[in-house]
Amino acid sequence: MAHAGLVKGLRTTVSGEPANAAKTLKVANQFLHGPVGVKLDVSGVVSGAPKVDMSALWNVGQWSLGAETAVGKNGVANYALAAQTKIDDVVAAIVLADKLETLKASATYKLDSNTSLAAEAVYKLKSRDLKVCAGVATTLENGHAARAVLSSSGNAQVTYSGEVTKGLQGTACAQVDQALKYKYGLQFNYKM
């Protein structure tokens, strides 16, 4: 059940499974007004394990600034801060996550209408562990998509997907690590 219109910009949704309402009852609120957005979800109240997920977003010029937190029966479970900007063909973001203990920085660059490059660095502040990955994604002339990702942990991944025949989508993927252990897979989806 959803309701909008009581307060301008506010949308409230109540959901749950009737047979298991104590565990699944959830009230989700979204409020949008100009450059500000707020989301507040409440669940678990009936079951005795209340949880509140809150997030807020503020758009300021070319910047989007955000914050989120989760509060449960035992107090604050998690919180994070984030900022993102877009300048020409570059989208850059920085996130301070996991109770402000993990720093993530990422950027994507659009080479042309079909191809993008991306990179991300994740730094754990306490353990001083740094992981980096970079990738490229492109859409080919036949409409198929190809993607390759390399990570500082020594993993390489490639994915190729597209329509095999009318209605049949296929994806092939492979991954190899620095010990040359590999995984591969095929997936097909048919839509009538």
Side-chain angles (χ1 to χ4, degrees):
M1 178 174 81
H3 183 69
L6 190 61
V7 174
K8 186 177 179 181
L10 176 65
R11 178 181 171 92
T12 300
T13 304
V14 178
S15 62
E17 299 170 15
N20 196 9
K23 288 185 179 180
T24 62
L25 182 64
K26 178 178 176 181
V27 179
N29 296 285
Q30 294 178 335
F31 178 71
L32 297 172
H33 182 71
V36 176
V38 178
K39 187 174 180 195
L40 177 81
D41 296 346
V42 180
S43 61
V45 174
V46 178
S47 68
K51 181 180 176 193
V52 177
D53 293 303
M54 298 174 283
S55 60
L57 175 69
W58 183 32
N59 290 308
V60 184
Q62 291 183 317
W63 287 90
S64 294
L65 307 172
E68 68 179 6
T69 188
V71 180
K73 187 176 180 180
N74 298 323
V76 177
N78 206 353
Y79 45 92
L81 301 172
Q84 177 178 304
T85 189
K86 182 178 188 304
I87 300 169
D88 297 326
D89 293 329
V90 177
V91 175
I94 190 161
V95 178
L96 200 49
D98 303 326
K99 295 185 178 181
L100 311 182
E101 294 177 0
T102 302
L103 179 62
K104 298 179 183 183
S106 63
T108 60
Y109 175 68
K110 194 158 182 73
L111 287 171
D112 57 41
S113 63
N114 295 324
T115 307
S116 296
L117 299 173
E120 180 182 54
V122 178
Y123 182 69
K124 300 282 187 178
L125 299 173
K126 284 186 177 180
S127 66
R128 298 184 179 207
D129 179 44
L130 174 64
K131 291 192 173 120
V132 180
C133 67
V136 60
T138 190
T139 301
L140 305 173
E141 288 181 18
N142 62 4
H144 291 192
R147 183 178 78 137
V149 178
L150 296 172
S151 74
S152 61
S153 62
N155 291 337
Q157 301 173 14
V158 292
T159 305
Y160 184 86
S161 62
E163 188 172 54
V164 178
T165 186
K166 185 174 175 139
L168 181 64
Q169 293 289 324
T171 301
C173 59
Q175 176 180 326
V176 63
D177 65 19
Q178 61 190 23
L180 299 180
K181 292 182 181 176
Y182 60 90
K183 299 177 187 176
Y184 58 90
L186 295 171
Q187 177 180 340
F188 296 96
N189 293 319
Y190 183 74
K191 290 185 181 178
M192 299 174 98

